[in-house]
Amino acid sequence: MGLSPLFGVAKLIVRSRKLKMVAVGLQLAYLGYTYISDKRKNKQVAK
C-alpha cells in the first residue's frame, strides 16, 4: 500500500477544512514527486 491511499484516509478522518486542504496539497506533492522520479528513471533506462 502506497502513501496516496493513506492521505485519502487522513482526509476522511480530519474534520477541519484547512487540514483537509493540507492533506490534498501533500497528496498532490507526493504524486508529482513520484511522477517526476518515474519519468527520470524511464529516461535513464532508454539511454
Side-chain angles (χ1 to χ4, degrees):
M1 185 158 110
L3 285 177
S4 192
L6 292 177
F7 286 130
V9 171
K11 281 191 300 186
L12 290 174
I13 294 172
V14 173
R15 292 184 182 168
S16 171
R17 187 178 181 121
K18 288 181 182 179
L19 290 177
K20 283 184 183 181
M21 294 301 289
V22 170
V24 170
L26 286 173
Q27 188 174 13
L28 287 174
Y30 174 73
L31 290 174
Y33 170 75
T34 55
Y35 173 75
I36 289 171
S37 65
D38 286 345
K39 195 173 179 181
R40 285 182 183 166
K41 221 182 286 183
N42 289 339
K43 206 178 225 185
Q44 289 175 354
V45 171
K47 285 184 178 180

